[in-house]
Amino acid sequence: MAENNTDQDPVRGTESIISWYDSTRPMFIDLVGDYAGKELFLLEGDSLLRECFEDDRIDFDSGYQLLHTVYVVERFLENLVKRHCSFHIAFFDDHSALCIPPGLTATHRSRYLLARAVIKRHLALRLPLSHSDVVINDFPSLESETFKEYLDITPIHFVMVHDGSSRAAKATLDSPDEKLAKILLRGMIWYWNSHRLNVALINQIEFRDSKVFTMIVESFTTSSKAKLLMTTKFINEIKETRTLLQKCYQNDEPEFEVDVEDLAESPSSDRNCESYYLSAFAVSTILEDEDSDTFLPSAFILHKIILTHMSISERRLPLITFDSDFEEKIDDFLSKISDIFRNTMTDAKWIDFMKKKGAADDTIDLIDGRMFRATIKALCDKSIEGQGALPLAAQKDWAYLRGMVMHLAEEELSLKGSDKPESSKTTATQRDFEPVSEDLAVLPFSHPVFDKHLECIHVTADTSVPARLGAMKLFRETTHWHNHRKPLNPKVPVAQKVSKWRNPLRMNQFYMNEMTTYAASLTGAKGKALDAETITVGPKKLIKLVEEKPEKPSNGPKKEEASDSRQTKGNAAPKKGTKKAASGLSRKEQMIADNKERKGGTEADKAFNAWATVRKGLDTIPSDQERYLRTIDHLNSLDSAKTGHLEGEINTYALQSLLGWWSECCKSDKKPESYHIVALIWTTVRAICTSKSPTSKEVTQHVTKVCTLLGITDAVTPIASTTDRKLSFTFAYPLQTQVLRIDMSQTDFQLDYCGPYMDRMLDAKPDPRVSSFVPDGWQRDVLDQLDANKSVFVVAPTSAGKTFISFYAMEQVLRADNDGVLVYVAPTKALVNQIAAEVQGRFSKRYPLAGKGIWAIHTRDYRVNNPTGCQILVTVPHVLQIMLLSPSNAKSWAPRVRRIIFDEIHSIGQAEDGVVWEQLLLLAPCPIIALSATVGNPGQFNDWLIETQKSSGSELKMIQHHTRYSDLRKYMYEPPKSFKFSGLGKSYGVGLGLDGLTGFEEFHPVASLVDKSRGMPDDLALEPRDCLSLWKAMKKCRTDKYKVPESLDPAKALPACIRKADIFAWEKALKKVLLQWMLDRASPFDRVVMELSPKGSSVEPDQVLSATSSVTEGDNLDPLDLNATTLPLLFQLHKRRALPAILFNYDRSQCETIAFAILKQLVDAEARWKEGPQWKKLMEGYEKYQEIKDKKSRKPAKPAKKSKDADDEGGSKMDRMRDEASDGSSIYDLFDPEAPQSDFSFADPKRLQKTELDGFIRALRWKDIKEELIDLLKRGIGVHHAGMNRKYRQCVEMLFRKGFLRVVIATGTLSLGINMPCATVVFSGDSVFLTALNFRQAAGRSGRRGFDLLGNVVFQGISRERASRLMSSRLPELTGHFPITTTLVLRLFTLLNGSDSSKYAVRAINSLLSQPRLYLGGQSFKEQVLHHLRFSIEYLRRNELLGPGGEPVNFTSCVSHLYFTENSSFAFHALLKGGYFHTLCADIDTKTDIVLQQMILVLSHLFGRRVCREVDDPEEAENIKRSPSIVYLPPLPEEATKILRKHNKDTLDIFTTYVKTFATQHVKETENALPLTHTPVGSAALSVQPGNVQKANGSAHTNGSVKETPTKIGFLPSLPVPHARSAFVALSGLGDEFTTIEDLCSSTREGVFLEAAVIPHLEIHPDESRTPLNAYLLDFYMHGALDPLEKANGIRKSDASSSLHNSCHDANQKIRYEADPEMLDVMGSGDAAENDGDEQVAAKTETVTPTTQQQNAPAQAAPVRKSKKVVDDWDAGEDAIDAEEKFLENGGLNGTGATDDEEYDKLMNVYKAFRKLKTEFDEKFRAIWA
């Protein structure tokens, strides 16, 4: 799919499939949230089985555990299903060998093939009943016709495949079949990739919380020649490999025929199940062979009967083995019977026979190898011969099956033993059979706040362990979080310490200056700067809405603005409403109104006089089009008072120009393509008719006449108020008027051309609370909820008008008092900056006390103003969480928070930060506002929000609005075959949309519904013309059975003058019929879609082409090369005036590559042009101009004393003025030969003064921004992505808003709520990150409310199928995370302890723990959550982070401040606590390099971990060897490994105890059904009536709902039933001893919830993780270069710097809690580099103002200084270092514990080492950042 993926070069590695695969650069992403959403994907069946068969807990070789294998497959699929994955499964006959793990003997291979047949059959039978949307398909091969047909009708988004990498130990890696399977599996990946489908790797999958992570191998497109070469070579390689693999396995296929005739005549029984028939048939077939004796067949039949009658929980057996000869016999027997089973099951005759018999399908439990061996042993021991050894029912079945075998094979089965096995041994010892008395005690713990929540958890406290609190050092906050200026200990002396570089006040001034500039670029709906409203405490004075008088000036049809109130002075609110009043006017108001009325006449005269002057200038413009545009610009520039007087007059003047323009088009036979002019006439007429200002009768007459001439009389409606004032000009009519009439019905004309101009008012009514616009009903509902202090969840499309909600709430808080706080949470830094700037532009307020302010910003990069001293805090989720959980804020700041606004609330679904959003919603201490345009499951999310708000005492209401303000029109872009750029030329046309432009093809939304199975998305919007074309298509395709109701005929359904509200109703009715057709396969729905799909793209050149550039000659273009096709696209948009545009490309480096390619094309074309005659002529004129200018400047300014007439040289002042006046303005006045020329620049110089641009450029050069980026800005092009310098990003945003930049190329950073309205959005190239959600967010930037009546959305370099999928896909459902993490628990205790259990802290914890449904998407399993909480506390207690009463102790600070690196932070703590770093860093002064290298190796194992694919291609392996990178991370040092192993083992013990105690107390049901299909197994299946598949499936049953009588069979050596482990996993002999956390989490019994992601452990490679780790951090530290990271380490260029940025943020600041605990979590080195630059600029540009800073270090201690450039530059952190030093010296709180000088020295060595490491890493990082 990545059509233009620069990082993955498909031409690299064309030698073989292995070399091609090794050259790919897969991405590790969240499959559902960040990529697929609800999109359907295909799960390749044998890849699924290969992945599941590699689970080494399955005893398949000796124990032949078929049922355990089925369970593992179901559990894997269940993990996908419960995470909302949408998928089909496809098995391919010629892939069957690919499921077999490598290196097996032929006898064992047959077992896997049988398992494949059984699982395939089981899923095909059961899934339709339990999960009908998961479809199982079986195809002969990838190339088969049936599969091609499947792909044609099924919209597969991507495919999930195994890449052949083995999980097993190295021993099997040399097996020939593994290499062959690898080539075939990777050949399959290549096949999908070359067919434009991405591939997800099933063997790299990670189920983490509610997310699915895996590697995605992106598809590619190459030139046809390279593709042909590769295709031929690879197809041959695949064929040869398949042949070789078949040779390997050629002896595996037995030959025999299935004959069911004898079986049909066999005796019958009430036990009608397939496994009995199969067993009898297979045993008989073996017995027919002369060499066979009856012992093993008898044992097999008996074992099958026992399986049927025995409870699954009783089937945990040891593995019994025999002497080698007998083992061989068993293997041979099982191999034969497996082959017979497989061939019989899949035989058509057998399948028919089973259907006739109505036999229940129970083949999933056909063989249990351990049970078979135990049965053999029992027969040999004769222990089975005793009375009652077999239950009565089993004896009946034995007699029945024995009779059947006798009938079929004429052999007698017997229960007699055999002397064949010479010896036997078992894996179980006597102790294994004894019930385990487990000690499940936990350390004592008690806390008054937590105890009441933990009452339901019954655990035994181990009192033998001493509390040891005396030996623990209590942790305390020594400074306020994020506010170093107030030490918590007021007795500590404060030293003043500032420097030129470290001056927080100077930095704040610098940022404030930036913010003020930024605010100035933000505008209201009419493009005017925001006016700050002065807020005073007290209720807002609501404006009385008065009845409008005819002569009173009022606002015109300006988009979205009601009357402006600049005329009214002294009012609390500056703007005044003009609608009907709820009450009469007071006497004072009446007098003011009368005065205004008297003034009105004179004001009107002045306005008309000024207009007369302007009109004279307009009259001189020869072009009707140009005159119209200038007229409208003038009208829009007037204030509301002048608009009130002149609106009718100016609109009539514009109408005259439009009429002339239309007349010209009619004369020159351009009528069909010029209807947009009539649409402009229509909207001008509507503006006149609906104007609130009085309109003259003469205007009314002209309007009526024009509409009559054109045949659009429906546009005329009665005019409210009229006046007798005459027009100030004579309205000119064309000479020929008969040709002006439109050639269609008025209804069709309005629908086709006037849609964007239709009246959009739905249920809008004036509201005194909002003066700047007339709110719709849903907006008034929001205001009502806010006034009632309730919470709201608002779901409305982009551009619907959600923004005002936030500012209304802010104003409420500002007016309420001077203390209340509103927090605005935004997902991106760009949005934070914008909101703060808007607050700055909208509000001002005076405070009685110093130190208070309206707003502040707090993000991970920087802060502006005081976050705890402001009333509106704009921040990101992480920082708000820190502030809410900070003990120092618990009594002061947090209780003052009155409301929290969560903008873009759908970010809760993100993999990275989603859990923080979720925790914030649970912790919110006040009412909230949640805003989003893109929530896939608003109802479900709303239910969860209501619950969370209820527990904090707030009511919440969801308010949904479904319609956008402006429509979006979609286009496919087909680039021309060739293009020669010679300049942009002039723009022409004012029509909306891109119809008729070269290469642009309109895309009807209904044409995207190619897949009926998805249904129709709720937000699939149709504009009026779409509705008309849909109605016509439905009418054309209708049949007698499928009719289109007459009521849908637009002539009947719509009024004469159509409004948007009428369209919505009609659209709804049309969609209703269409949806009925969609659900009916026989309907003409497909024909309608075909009818609306384009018949073929037209890329003929336009009739009107710029004289300079050509699409018919020039260089041939590669249509897939975005670098080549972007300029032709922008050239077309420029011609249509469809700029500004934002081009979205989700690859950072590609954004820059495209921009630089455009820059080169513009510069080259300009250079060519400058060689031509036009430039020479221009320069000659310029030189003459310069000479004249120089001559004038040489004249003396002040002449010598002479007569006032006699001045030879300089002339008198009057002379000079006369000369200048006579010169007039020259075209060269603004000409700059050095600047880009207008034909080669997209910039609009009229929008920005040159001095202002120079100022921006100067600021950027201070920041060392690339010169190419600055050159791009000069040419009106910006690049915007998160990796760019912040100052540059802000410049791009400001210049774009000002209109100077008209092209921005961006990643998704601009799609989230940024106020950067544009006319056109282009999706430039495909990407895995272009998802349904990102598509809607990004497309929503186009056509913003108040700016554009229509937005254009263009697909460039994206296939039509993919575009269809994006348009018709549903939004992903929001799924939650498990929010109770171990670090959160620790932080909650810190909050309680540090705030002395303040009221706020207690309420926050009670709110969090009393949630009935703790996480979104989770059921009500409160007990599980509380159990998890209790054992998280146990973990913290055992790791000496909490005392027995919940006191945070020891290294709590370090761990809790590293919350965002969980679980790495706990591994780091284990090493710190274990003294590893103390020992390592003892030599930091003498062996610096060795120590630092060892440290970075250890940290690379802990933080920023990335897996690394092993390379098989020798050439690629050689490249890695030659590279300066090591690539594969070397193992951890042995000492560190020991500590981490012990930590993991202890953690495993703690959480195993959790599972056991929970299961004992809460899980009462027996586990007897499979997890996904709920198929009952063993004796549980007996209670299900045989023969009925529906019931046999058990889909109606969950575990435990089927009553089973456990059957204890005495002669079997059953081991004790495990409590924690699933009975299905125990089939392989496993008990309650777990090896790893992953083992524990993935094999717990049903009913126990355990989330591996929130258990504090770290997998150690190679102990627990199968794939090696990438050494990119270590490598970068060693060589400091990005190039090897890309080429050898396989990290994409676009990801490299962000990965290092995030990882060095993690890995290099771990001990910095010593230095500055507060800001540890919020900055990375890239941010530091930026902020250092800011400080230097601030130092150059602002005056130094001293400020206070603390330094509480004791005089005798050697001070540890922060280096000049470290990560947190917001506040110097000396105070924190010194406070910690003092803390260490004093041995903790209240002097507990003696002063430990040695411990202190060791820790300071560690601190010194980390500082050195950090400094070195930062220097390397800064070098690449610069």
Side-chain angles (χ1 to χ4, degrees), residues 1620-1666:
R1621 206 184 283 273
S1622 164
F1624 288 95
V1625 182
L1627 292 171
S1628 289
L1630 299 165
D1632 278 343
E1633 296 75 40
F1634 298 89
T1635 52
T1636 63
I1637 293 287
E1638 199 276 331
D1639 177 28
L1640 174 69
C1641 294
S1642 60
S1643 64
T1644 47
R1645 57 161 305 154
E1646 190 170 0
V1648 180
F1649 173 86
L1650 196 62
E1651 179 47 67
V1654 291
I1655 295 177
H1657 81 294
L1658 196 75
E1659 288 185 342
I1660 306 169
H1661 180 76
D1663 291 20
E1664 297 170 58
S1665 60
R1666 44 175 149 160

Side-chain angles (χ1 to χ4, degrees), residues 910-954:
Q910 290 174 351
E912 296 305 315
D913 296 335
V915 66
V916 181
W917 287 84
E918 197 158 346
Q919 288 169 353
L920 286 175
L921 285 165
L922 295 168
L923 287 167
C926 57
I928 63 163
I929 298 173
L931 304 171
S932 180
T934 46
V935 177
N937 51 337
Q940 187 189 359
F941 187 51
N942 178 53
D943 294 344
W944 180 76
L945 278 178
I946 286 171
E947 296 284 357
T948 62
Q949 283 297 290
K950 214 178 272 177
S951 66
S952 65
S954 299

Side-chain angles (χ1 to χ4, degrees), residues 474-479 1450-1451 1453-1454 1457 1711-1718 1752-1754 1773-1788 1800 1803-1804:
L474 267 103
F475 157 73
R476 66 176 171 170
E477 293 267 335
T478 51
T479 60
N1450 296 341
F1451 290 112
S1453 171
C1454 169
H1457 286 95
I1711 287 285
R1712 289 206 46 253
Y1713 74 97
E1714 306 268 10
D1716 190 355
E1718 286 67 53
N1752 11 340
E1774 310 293 349
D1775 57 323
I1777 301 171
D1778 299 331
E1780 288 287 353
E1781 284 177 7
K1782 193 169 181 71
F1783 166 60
L1784 286 167
E1785 286 181 355
N1786 294 342
Y1800 171 74
L1803 209 47
M1804 289 315 292

Side-chain angles (χ1 to χ4, degrees), residues 557-570:
K558 293 190 178 186
K559 301 168 216 162
E560 288 311 290
E561 282 199 315
S563 73
D564 201 313
S565 59
R566 287 181 183 79
Q567 325 148 34
T568 327
K569 300 274 193 296

Side-chain angles (χ1 to χ4, degrees), residues 460-479:
T460 315
D462 181 3
T463 48
S464 63
V465 182
R468 285 182 52 204
L469 182 61
M472 296 180 184
K473 294 174 181 175
L474 267 103
F475 157 73
R476 66 176 171 170
E477 293 267 335
T478 51
T479 60

Side-chain angles (χ1 to χ4, degrees), residues 281-407:
F281 178 79
V283 162
S284 305
T285 307
I286 290 171
L287 287 172
E288 282 169 2
D289 185 349
E290 291 171 13
D291 297 340
S292 299
D293 67 6
T294 60
F295 176 63
L296 287 177
S298 300
F300 188 84
I301 292 291
L302 181 59
H303 119 280
K304 179 62 213 125
I305 292 167
I306 294 168
L307 291 184
T308 309
H309 289 275
M310 197 170 183
S311 158
I312 190 167
S313 57
E314 299 291 332
R315 278 170 52 183
R316 182 181 166 229
L317 299 167
L319 180 66
I320 296 167
T321 50
F322 302 93
D323 57 276
S324 56
D325 289 348
F326 197 71
E327 278 293 322
E328 209 173 293
K329 282 193 170 179
I330 291 175
D331 278 353
D332 191 43
F333 175 80
L334 288 176
S335 177
K336 275 183 192 169
I337 205 162
S338 298
D339 287 334
I340 296 167
F341 280 154
R342 176 164 53 89
N343 284 285
T344 308
M345 278 172 65
T346 52
D347 187 89
K349 285 185 280 185
W350 179 268
I351 294 166
D352 286 346
F353 174 65
M354 285 297 111
K355 274 184 187 167
K356 281 178 193 162
K357 281 277 187 186
D361 174 48
D362 58 349
T363 51
I364 50 171
D365 204 10
L366 204 49
I367 298 179
D368 179 331
R370 286 181 176 240
M371 178 73 76
F372 181 45
R373 288 163 177 276
T375 310
I376 291 171
K377 180 90 166 58
L379 285 171
C380 294
D381 293 350
K382 302 190 169 39
S383 55
I384 201 163
E385 291 175 1
Q387 187 66 32
L390 275 179
L392 200 60
Q395 288 176 31
K396 277 175 71 181
D397 285 0
W398 169 253
Y400 162 60
L401 285 174
R402 193 176 171 195
M404 195 187 292
V405 173
M406 187 69 202
H407 171 76

Side-chain angles (χ1 to χ4, degrees), residues 688-701:
I688 293 168
C689 291
T690 56
S691 169
K692 300 290 187 291
S693 313
T695 308
S696 75
K697 289 172 183 168
E698 191 181 348
V699 168
T700 311
Q701 288 164 7

Side-chain angles (χ1 to χ4, degrees), residues 948-1067:
T948 62
Q949 283 297 290
K950 214 178 272 177
S951 66
S952 65
S954 299
E955 270 184 62
L956 178 130
K957 180 176 181 181
M958 176 169 74
I959 295 170
Q960 264 187 293
H961 177 65
H962 298 285
T963 54
R964 274 180 60 90
Y965 181 79
S966 51
D967 292 315
L968 295 178
R969 200 172 284 175
K970 324 291 193 307
Y971 297 89
M972 296 300 298
Y973 176 66
E974 183 72 36
K977 292 189 171 56
S978 63
F979 180 71
K980 182 185 179 185
F981 181 70
S982 312
L984 290 171
K986 285 191 174 179
S987 301
Y988 70 91
V990 289
L992 296 172
L994 309 174
D995 304 343
L997 276 183
T998 305
F1000 289 88
E1001 185 177 72
E1002 197 193 339
F1003 199 149
H1004 195 291
V1006 171
S1008 73
L1009 300 175
V1010 284
D1011 171 35
K1012 291 190 280 193
S1013 64
R1014 296 164 179 247
M1016 194 186 296
D1018 300 332
D1019 59 350
L1020 189 85
L1022 305 179
E1023 58 171 315
R1025 65 190 271 175
D1026 295 334
C1027 292
L1028 179 65
S1029 49
L1030 173 61
W1031 176 74
K1032 285 180 176 173
M1034 288 170 76
K1035 201 174 168 195
K1036 183 177 175 182
C1037 300
R1038 67 186 172 181
T1039 61
D1040 291 342
K1041 187 179 175 188
Y1042 299 95
K1043 293 176 178 169
V1044 180
E1046 285 300 313
S1047 60
L1048 291 183
D1049 186 329
K1052 294 178 182 174
L1054 300 168
C1057 184
I1058 305 168
R1059 297 172 310 124
K1060 212 57 198 288
D1062 305 320
I1063 296 293
F1064 291 143
W1066 187 42
E1067 176 192 1

